[in-house]
Every structure is written in structure tokens, then in C-alpha cells.
Amino acid sequence: MHKGQAKKELKKQLSALFKSMDYISKNFLDSEKMGKKELQIFFNIYQQLGLAWEFLGLQCKHWDGYKKTRDKKETCKICGKVKGANDFYILLTRKGPIKLGVKVKPSSKKTFETKENAQIVNETIDFYGALVNVDVHHSYKSRLFGKGINMAAERIVNVKEENVECSIDEHLIHIRLRDKDRKAGGKRYGGFPWEIKKKDLKHFPVIFDFDEKYRFLGLTILK
Ligand SMILES: [Zn+2]
């Protein structure tokens, strides 16, 4: 196959593939009503289409050059690949943020016998050096604390960047600074700001954000 024909054929295949990906994404992945099992099937189809896209993209020599995207990257006009990016065999959406998996929350009222059976997802991705973990499980009986402790159903998202760890669940946002110099097993204390003396508070480089009614809006920690 000479160059012109290869390009024409590839363009045709990619354009058909993009239509299929858009169709699945629009009609199924964004559907709120779909059951988990059914959604998983369509998600798998989307993954497989994503894989096909990656493989088709390998044949592209980016003959027509690149166009600038809104976030100032350059993507191939034919295959949509970002200029200079390595090839990964993972699902990448064509537009918008990279999407891996669909959002899951615990849905069962049942308490499962084991953590394994209660687990919905517990996966970690190393994303350009930042670690992201999502742990979603139904309620289960824990043997950790002897007999009879029911662990609540939860969705916990944990992000680790260098020595900072942030954990978010339904009730708490916990930020932990890991200090290499601190010896393991050292004591940790906690308290509301009003419980701590002003002179001690001055050790904490924390700024609170609030509005005119003193509603809490967030906080900043200086490094
Ligand atoms: Zn290309």
C-alpha cells in the first residue's frame, strides 16, 4: 500500500472508530439509570474501542500535522494523539480529561461476611508520579478488632504527592504530612483550633478560608 492509500484507509477506520466511541460514551456511559452490570459491559466495550484506537494510532505517521487544543497541547489532526506523548495501552478519552473507570459508590444495604466479598473496587494509579487510590466497599464484618465489628460501607479516595497524603471519604477530609525525620511510633495529637493555646497555634502554617458569615470555605497549608 502506498502512502496516500494507507492514509486514506486509516482516516476512514479512525473516523468510524471515533463515531463508535462517541456513541457508547453518549448513550451508555453517561446514563444514570443503568445497572452496574450492564454499565460494566458498555465500559468494557469502550475500553476495547480505546485499545483499537491506540493500535490504529500506531500506524499513523501524523501526515497532516497537529492542531492546538484548548489546553495548549498539540494533537494529530488524523489520530488525535498528543505530540511527543508515549504510547500507553490504556483508555484515553478523545476529548476532555482522561477517564479510567466509572464512578462507583456502595449501593448494597447488606453486610458482607468478608472484606473481599464487600469490595467493589480498590485500585491505585500512578499518574505522572502522583498516586491515586480509590477504595469502595459495602459494609462487611471485620475480624480486625476481634468479633462483631461491622465496617461501614465507604468510598475513600486517597491522593499522595511526595510527602503529602490526602484522604477523602463521606465524613472526613484528612491531610497528612509525612516527615521523614520524625521517628516512627512518635505521638500524634489532635484538637480543634479553640482547644489549642494561641502560642501553640502559631506553629501551624494554616490559613482558614471563610465568608462574611464565618462559613468555612476551605484552608491553605503553607509548605
Ligand atoms: Zn496521527
Side-chain angles (χ1 to χ4, degrees):
M1 225 192 279
H2 65 79
K3 188 190 129 184
Q5 216 182 330
K7 178 177 146 184
K8 208 175 139 197
E9 183 59 29
L10 188 65
K11 267 185 158 178
K12 215 171 90 187
Q13 288 189 20
L14 279 166
S15 131
L17 179 71
F18 290 153
K19 271 190 201 141
S20 302
M21 289 181 87
D22 285 346
Y23 184 80
I24 295 287
S25 154
K26 228 185 268 156
N27 290 288
F28 303 104
L29 297 186
D30 290 340
S31 166
E32 300 266 296
K33 291 173 219 149
M34 198 173 293
K36 207 185 123 203
K37 255 196 191 148
E38 216 180 341
L39 192 62
Q40 187 62 49
I41 291 168
F42 286 109
F43 178 67
N44 288 345
I45 295 172
Y46 197 71
Q47 287 269 29
Q48 286 146 9
L49 291 172
L51 205 59
W53 173 43
E54 297 260 347
F55 279 105
L56 283 177
L58 290 175
Q59 296 169 38
C60 184
K61 300 283 179 286
H62 321 306
W63 298 280
D64 292 353
Y66 296 85
K67 61 179 175 207
K68 282 236 165 72
T69 61
R70 265 188 299 172
D71 49 355
K72 289 189 181 124
K73 283 192 182 111
E74 288 181 87
T75 57
C76 172
K77 285 181 185 166
I78 298 171
C79 70
K81 217 170 250 190
V82 176
K83 194 178 182 179
N86 294 325
D87 295 313
F88 292 111
Y89 299 109
I90 58 162
L91 174 70
L92 303 175
T93 47
R94 226 159 29 89
K95 343 166 219 186
I98 296 169
K99 190 171 175 182
L100 276 174
V102 290
K103 186 166 183 177
V104 280
K105 285 180 187 171
S107 52
S108 175
K109 293 225 158 54
K110 204 174 128 188
T111 299
F112 289 78
E113 285 301 318
T114 64
K115 187 172 184 194
E116 289 71 40
N117 290 341
Q119 196 79 60
I120 300 165
V121 67
N122 184 7
E123 282 188 90
T124 305
I125 179 169
D126 180 335
F127 196 63
Y128 297 100
L131 283 183
V132 182
N133 172 270
V134 177
D135 178 0
V136 187
H137 56 79
H138 300 302
S139 170
Y140 64 93
K141 288 179 187 158
S142 174
R143 280 155 287 177
L144 264 183
F145 310 98
K147 262 192 245 167
I149 288 256
N150 282 357
M151 302 299 284
E154 264 179 321
R155 173 187 163 90
I156 311 164
V157 177
N158 189 284
V159 182
K160 268 186 215 167
E161 164 73 354
E162 293 185 338
N163 66 332
V164 183
E165 191 177 333
C166 177
S167 170
I168 305 163
D169 64 34
E170 210 193 316
H171 307 286
L172 290 175
I173 303 165
H174 186 221
I175 297 167
R176 188 169 189 158
L177 309 176
R178 282 176 299 166
D179 181 356
K180 279 191 219 95
D181 302 331
R182 226 176 140 260
K183 55 178 189 284
K187 282 197 177 116
R188 293 185 87 92
Y189 302 95
F192 290 105
W194 59 87
E195 298 170 328
I196 299 163
K197 288 195 188 100
K198 198 169 172 184
K199 72 170 179 37
D200 298 326
L201 267 180
K202 283 189 175 157
H203 295 291
F204 307 149
V206 178
I207 299 164
F208 296 107
D209 303 338
F210 49 88
D211 67 7
E212 67 284 350
K213 287 185 174 154
Y214 287 91
R215 264 185 302 223
F216 182 62
L217 300 176
L219 57 85
T220 305
I221 301 171
L222 305 177
K223 279 172 105 176

